[in-house]
Amino acid sequence: MNVRTAFVAAPLLVFAYGVIRILDGLDGSRGPGLAWTAGHLAFLAALALFVPIFWEMRRMAGRKAVATVSAALGTAGLLALTAQFAIDIVIGFMSADHDAMGVLFDRVQAVPGVSFVVYDGVPLLFFAAQFALVLQLAVAGRVRAWTPVLVMADLLLPFFEKDLIPLGALFLLVSFAPLARRSVAAVSTAPTTPAAAVSR
């Protein structure tokens, strides 16, 4: 999958996670079960796509030190979130019902350092890096001034109400669409090397 596709697919996968999460909660509780697992797998797939997205945004920002640090911190947050969602899936498989999941979550989070690294601290770097990179692109004139506003809306909505995740994902999709076009433009206008010419 190329970076252009990642810019579009990642928000759509987050959207899918948000919708599945809502459907999973219609019976009054979330997990365990097919919806719990499917939603978490969708978000894990989105996280995997954010790796090339972060580093492509860093390239678009001119590979400057601030952009590099932002991408690196974002990747660290991404890895923490990956661990969090992987734990969620495993606990879902291990639990007979929602109450049993709660017991296992308490045990995991009681391990020293896990709460900060996997749940409450390091994952925030993933969200902060998104905004930082888009803000740098806006300052450099690579994206419209409203783009960081939409990204910030996407990041903040779940903190107010997690059922708004699908709406935030649509904001992110609108924000990432120009980046997808710019990424493709950069590739299509790149000079052809002799090696590339021979391979054709």
Side-chain angles (χ1 to χ4, degrees):
M1 180 179 293
N2 59 38
V3 180
R4 176 192 185 186
T5 305
F7 274 115
V8 177
L12 290 178
L13 285 166
V14 175
F15 178 85
Y17 163 71
V19 171
I20 294 171
R21 182 185 175 279
I22 292 172
L23 295 176
D24 188 26
L26 292 180
D27 61 355
S29 65
R30 293 186 171 87
L34 179 61
W36 173 270
T37 302
H40 280 68
L41 287 175
F43 197 83
L44 281 175
L47 288 174
L49 295 179
F50 268 99
V51 175
I53 285 173
F54 279 151
W55 293 96
E56 176 65 5
M57 292 169 73
R58 174 237 180 203
R59 184 196 66 78
M60 291 179 179
R63 298 186 175 90
K64 297 179 180 179
V66 175
T68 301
V69 170
S70 298
L73 292 177
T75 302
L78 182 155
L79 293 174
L81 272 175
T82 299
Q84 178 185 141
F85 274 69
I87 290 171
D88 289 355
I89 291 174
V90 171
I91 286 179
F93 280 123
M94 294 175 62
S95 304
D97 53 35
H98 184 75
D99 290 338
M101 290 175 65
V103 173
L104 290 178
F105 277 126
D106 289 342
R107 291 178 183 173
V108 169
Q109 295 183 31
V111 176
V114 168
S115 182
F116 176 79
V117 174
V118 179
Y119 289 95
D120 303 324
V122 179
L124 296 178
L125 296 175
F126 170 75
F127 305 105
Q130 285 184 58
F131 181 73
L133 286 165
V134 171
L135 183 61
Q136 291 169 58
L137 291 172
V139 171
R142 302 287 200 280
V143 296
R144 303 279 187 175
W146 48 261
T147 304
V149 177
L150 285 183
V151 171
M152 178 59 74
D154 165 56
L155 300 179
L156 291 180
L157 283 175
F159 288 97
F160 291 103
E161 173 55 63
K162 288 188 176 181
D163 285 349
L164 295 176
I165 289 175
L167 176 60
L170 293 178
F171 287 159
L172 190 63
L173 179 62
V174 173
S175 304
F176 276 4
L179 295 174
R181 290 194 296 269
R182 282 188 172 275
S183 177
V184 166
V187 172
S188 63
T189 57
T192 302
T193 63
V198 170
S199 65
R200 295 174 186 172

